C-alpha cells in the first residue's frame, strides 16, 4: 500500500511538472480578455456609493448596499433614465452584473436603460418588492433589448416602497454566513476559515465529515463562486451540498465512505462589491491555479495540499460550480487517464437519462489552462469537472437538478470507493 501511494505521488508530480510547462503557454480562452493569465494585482475602479434623486420626477436610485453595481444615472426625459454600468476593471469578461434600488415619491411608471460601455446586456432583470426575500424575472411585457445599442430596457412601476432590480438574485457573504450557520447545526459538519481575502473577508471551508470505521475515507472537493455574478452555479452548489449532508439513507451511506471539503464562496470581495468577474485585485481567480498570486486561491490550495500526506484520506473527485448561458459540464478529455476513469462522463449520461427535460451539454477540455478543475487533476491525479448552470435555468428545475445530480453522484462515488479499496486490499495481501 505504501509503495502504491509513493508511486502514485511520483506520477502526479511528473504530470504536474509537465502541465506547468504547458500552462505557461496558455493565454486564455476565446472569451477571455488579453492578459487574463497574468494574475498579479491590478488597480480596480472602486464603485462610488451614492443615492441620486431627480426632483422633477420624484424618482430616486441607489447603489448604497452590499452587492450593488451602478456607476452613474442620467435623466433622458421625463420618467426615462439611463444607468451606466461599468465593470471593476477593463478589459474583462462580459458578465455584466448590475444591481440597484429605486423608488418614487408617488406612484409612477418609468423606463430604465442599462448601458455597458465595456460589455453587453447578459442577465434578464430580477425584481424584488420585499427587500430581496423573493425575486421575479422580468417578462417580455416589461423588458427587452435595444438591438441598435445593445442596451437592456426595463419598465418599472414605482411607489414609495423600494424596488430592487438586479441581474440575478442577491446572495452576499451575509447570506453565506447564515447558510453556513444552519448547515453547521449538524454534528458532522464543521465550519472553518481557510484564509482571508484581500479585504479581510474569510475564505470559508465547510467540511462534511463523519466518524467511520473505514481506515481510509475518500474526499470530494467542491469549489464555488469564483466569479461573483454566477448565481445559478452557486445555488446548485448549495443545494448539492445540502443533499450530500441530508438525512436520506443514501446520504448516510455516502458519508460512511466520503468526506466533503467545500469552499462555497471563494471570491467574497467580488461578491460584496458587485464585481463582474474578479476579486479586489482585479484578477480572475479561476486563472490563478498555477502561480497562486492571490490570497483566495492560495488559501484554498494550502488547505487542500495536506491531503497528499494523509494515510487516512484519499481525494476522489473535484467539482467547480459556475454559470454561463446554458447548462454544461466541462470534463477532462476522455483520452487523459483519470481516477475514477470517465466518472464525469458517466455522471452526465445518467443525469441526462433521468432528466430528459433538462438540456445539458458535455464539452470536454484539455488540462492546459490554470483553472481549479485542472489543478485538482494535476495535484491529486483525480477526475474533476467544471459544472456550469444556465443563467436563466428555471429555479424549480435547478432544485430538481441538484437532487438528481447529488443522488447519482453519491451512488457512483460509493461504487468507485468499494471497487478501489477492494482491489487495494487484494494487492496488500499478496
Amino acid at each position: 500500500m505504501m509503495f502504491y501511494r509513493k508511486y502514485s505521488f511520483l506520477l502526479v508530480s511528473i504530470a504536474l511538472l509537465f502541465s506547468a510547462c504547458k500552462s505557461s503557454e496558455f493565454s486564455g480562452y476565446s472569451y477571455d480578455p488579453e492578459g487574463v493569465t497574468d494574475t498579479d494585482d491590478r488597480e480596480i475602479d472602486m464603485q462610488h456609493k451614492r443615492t441620486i434623486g431627480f426632483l422633477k420626477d420624484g424618482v430616486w436610485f441607489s447603489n448604497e448596499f452590499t452587492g450593488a453595481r451602478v456607476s452613474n444615472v442620467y435623466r433622458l426625459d421625463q420618467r426615462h433614465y439611463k444607468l451606466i454600468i461599468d465593470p471593476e476593471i477593463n478589459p474583462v469578461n462580459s458578465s455584466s452584473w448590475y444591481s440597484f434600488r429605486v423608488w418614487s415619491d408617488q406612484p409612477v411608471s418609468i423606463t430604465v436603460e442599462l448601458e455597458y460601455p465595456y460589455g453587453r446586456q447578459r442577465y434578464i432583470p430580477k425584481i424584488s418588492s420585499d427587500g430581496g426575500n423573493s425575486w421575479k424575472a422580468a417578462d417580455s411585457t416589461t423588458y427587452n433589448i435595444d438591438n441598435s445599442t445593445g442596451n437592456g430596457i426595463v419598465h418599472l412601476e414605482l411607489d414609495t416602497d423600494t424596488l430592487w432590480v438586479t441581474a440575478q438574485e442577491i446572495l452576499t457573504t451575509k447570506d453565506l454566513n447564515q447558510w453556513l450557520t444552519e448547515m453547521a447545526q449538524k454534528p458532522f459538519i464543521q465550519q472553518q476559515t481557510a484564509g482571508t481575502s484581500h479585504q479581510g473577508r474569510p475564505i470559508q471551508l465547510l467540511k462534511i465529515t463523519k466518524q467511520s470505521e473505514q481506515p481510509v475515507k475518500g474526499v470530494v472537493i467542491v469549489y464555488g463562486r469564483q466569479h461573483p455574478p454566477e448565481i445559478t452555479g452557486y445555488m446548485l452548489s448549495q443545494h448539492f451540498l445540502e443533499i450530500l449532508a441530508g438525512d436520506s439513507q443514501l446520504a448516510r451511506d455516502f458519508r460512511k465512505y466520503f468526506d466533503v471539503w467545500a469552499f462555497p464562496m471563494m471570491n467574497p470581495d467580488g461578491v460584496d462589491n458587485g464585481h463582474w468577474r474578479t476579486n479586489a485585485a482585479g484578477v480572475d481567480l479561476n486563472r490563478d491555479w498555477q502561480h497562486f498570486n492571490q490570497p483566495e486561491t492560495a488559501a484554498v490550495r494550502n488547505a487542500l495540499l495536506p491531503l497528499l500526506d494523509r494515510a487516512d484520506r484519499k481525494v476522489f473527485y473535484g467539482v467547480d460550480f459556475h454559470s454561463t448561458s446554458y447548462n454544461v459540464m466541462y470534463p477532462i478529455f476522455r483520452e487523459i487517464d483519470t481516477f475514477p476513469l470517465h466518472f464525469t462522463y458517466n455522471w452526465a449520461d445518467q443525469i441526462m437519462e433521468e432528466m430528459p427535460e433538462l438540456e445539458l451539454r458535455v464539452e470536454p477540455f484539455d488540462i492546459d489552462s490554470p483553472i481549479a478543475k485542472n489543478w485538482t487533476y494535476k495535484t491529486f491525479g483525480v477526475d474533476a469537472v467544471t459544472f456550469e448552470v444556465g443563467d436563466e435555468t428555471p429555479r424549480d428545475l435547478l432544485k430538481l437538478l441538484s437532487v438528481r445530480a447529488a443522488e447519482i453522484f453519491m451512488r457512483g462515488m460509493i461504487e468507485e470507493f468499494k471497487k478501489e479499496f477492494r482491489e487495494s486490499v487484494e494487492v496488500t495481501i499478496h
Side-chain angles (χ1 to χ4, degrees), residues 110-114 125 127 138 142-144 152-156 165:
I110 69 169
T111 298
V112 176
E113 292 189 29
L114 305 174
I127 301 171
T142 59
Y143 166 73
N144 65 288
I153 301 176
V154 59
H155 305 282
L156 302 171
V165 183

Side-chain angles (χ1 to χ4, degrees), residues 65-67 131-135 164 168-183 191 204 225 231 234 238 242 264-265 271-272:
F65 60 95
T66 303
N133 293 315
S134 61
W135 299 90
W164 299 61
Q168 297 280 41
E169 297 89 334
I170 300 175
L171 295 170
T172 64
T173 56
K174 179 181 178 181
D175 301 285
L176 171 69
N177 290 332
Q178 291 175 347
W179 180 79
L180 288 171
T181 298
E182 292 173 3
M183 291 287 285
Q191 179 185 349
Q204 303 279 11
R225 206 81 184 271
I231 295 297
Y234 178 65
Q238 288 188 312
E242 288 167 2
M265 186 181 288
V271 167
D272 280 1

Side-chain angles (χ1 to χ4, degrees), residues 56-212:
K56 289 184 179 180
D57 301 335
V59 174
W60 305 81
F61 294 88
S62 178
N63 66 351
E64 295 187 276
F65 60 95
T66 303
R69 172 61 55 174
V70 166
S71 305
N72 215 334
V73 184
Y74 299 97
R75 184 179 187 269
L76 300 180
D77 202 346
Q78 185 178 20
R79 301 168 185 169
H80 189 172
Y81 311 93
K82 178 180 287 186
L83 273 60
I84 306 301
I85 318 293
D86 287 328
E88 68 276 10
I89 195 169
N90 183 59
V92 68
N93 301 70
S94 191
S95 301
S96 308
W97 175 264
Y98 58 90
S99 186
F100 61 93
R101 296 187 300 186
V102 58
W103 65 93
S104 63
D105 295 336
Q106 59 187 359
V108 65
S109 300
I110 69 169
T111 298
V112 176
E113 292 189 29
L114 305 174
E115 182 174 291
Y116 310 90
Y118 306 106
R120 53 181 171 77
Q121 182 73 17
R122 169 171 170 173
Y123 302 103
I124 296 174
K126 311 300 183 296
I127 301 171
S128 174
S129 58
D130 60 3
N133 293 315
S134 61
W135 299 90
K136 183 178 180 180
D139 60 27
S140 58
T141 65
T142 59
Y143 166 73
N144 65 288
I145 296 177
D146 185 335
N147 292 326
S148 64
T149 64
N151 293 350
I153 301 176
V154 59
H155 305 282
L156 302 171
E157 299 294 329
L158 303 183
D159 56 28
T160 55
D161 293 331
T162 299
L163 204 65
W164 299 61
V165 183
T166 184
Q168 297 280 41
E169 297 89 334
I170 300 175
L171 295 170
T172 64
T173 56
K174 179 181 178 181
D175 301 285
L176 171 69
N177 290 332
Q178 291 175 347
W179 180 79
L180 288 171
T181 298
E182 292 173 3
M183 291 287 285
Q185 296 301 309
K186 297 187 176 184
F188 53 84
I189 293 183
Q190 303 170 11
Q191 179 185 349
Q192 301 176 1
T193 299
T196 55
S197 66
H198 273 281
Q199 295 180 340
R201 294 179 176 88
I203 308 302
Q204 303 279 11
L205 167 57
L206 183 76
K207 289 184 180 180
I208 302 173
T209 175
K210 188 173 179 63
Q211 287 187 344
S212 171

Side-chain angles (χ1 to χ4, degrees), residues 218-273:
V219 177
V220 173
I221 303 170
V222 176
Y223 310 94
R225 206 81 184 271
Q226 294 196 70
H227 300 144
E230 298 183 7
I231 295 297
T232 53
Y234 178 65
M235 288 177 168
L236 182 63
S237 71
Q238 288 188 312
H239 295 322
F240 183 81
L241 291 168
E242 288 167 2
I243 301 302
L244 268 54
D247 297 326
S248 70
Q249 186 59 53
L250 176 59
R252 290 196 293 269
D253 289 343
F254 173 79
R255 295 192 295 271
K256 292 178 183 177
Y257 303 105
F258 286 94
D259 289 349
V260 179
W261 290 31
F263 304 87
M265 186 181 288
M266 284 190 54
N267 191 353
D269 293 348
V271 167
D272 280 1
N273 287 293

